[in-house]
Amino acid sequence: QVQLVESGGGLVQAGGSLKLSCAASGSIFRVNPSGWYRQAPGKQRELVAAISSGGSTNYADSAKGRFTISRDKVTVYLQMNSLKPEDTAVYYCYADVLGHRYWGQGTQVTVSS
């Protein structure tokens, strides 16, 4: 059983930065794909950024140039710069381990204009 715990969300003004962290219960991130989704009120959950087991990264168009995903053995990070009000959402991390996708509980990010 893998447990993921996000942190780092909060309220920030437009143009500001936040760094989200997702800590796992074991050293899983070096060998398993992981990433971040977000869900805004009334909208579907969407992929923001992903990192493969080999370290390749993939970003939503809305995140390119502003967000950076990174990881170490036990934590995956999402550095978010130049935040916009439309980035307001609950952000969820995930990890794909042995064919199962595990999710964190989510962390709220609110960007004020």
Side-chain angles (χ1 to χ4, degrees):
Q1 185 75 10
V2 174
Q3 293 184 329
L4 303 175
V5 179
E6 297 107 333
S7 61
L11 174 64
V12 64
Q13 288 188 330
S17 299
L18 284 174
K19 186 173 185 177
L20 306 183
S21 300
C22 173
S25 53
S27 301
I28 65 169
F29 289 122
R30 286 294 191 196
V31 295
N32 294 289
S34 60
W36 292 88
Y37 276 74
R38 68 186 181 187
Q39 187 166 21
K43 295 187 177 181
Q44 290 188 331
R45 191 175 292 193
E46 62 175 356
L47 178 67
V48 177
I51 185 164
S52 71
S53 57
S56 300
T57 57
N58 183 43
Y59 297 93
D61 287 343
S62 60
K64 288 177 181 176
R66 300 189 299 127
F67 294 4
T68 303
I69 188 170
S70 61
R71 66 181 183 192
D72 57 31
K73 288 184 179 180
V74 297
T75 307
V76 63
Y77 304 95
L78 186 67
Q79 176 68 48
M80 303 186 295
N81 298 327
S82 302
L83 283 162
K84 305 174 182 180
E86 51 263 44
D87 294 319
T88 295
V90 178
Y91 285 69
Y92 299 89
C93 68
Y94 73 88
D96 293 331
V97 180
L98 297 177
H100 184 85
R101 176 160 289 185
Y102 295 88
W103 294 94
Q105 83 286 356
T107 186
Q108 176 71 46
V109 171
T110 303
V111 184
S112 63
S113 57

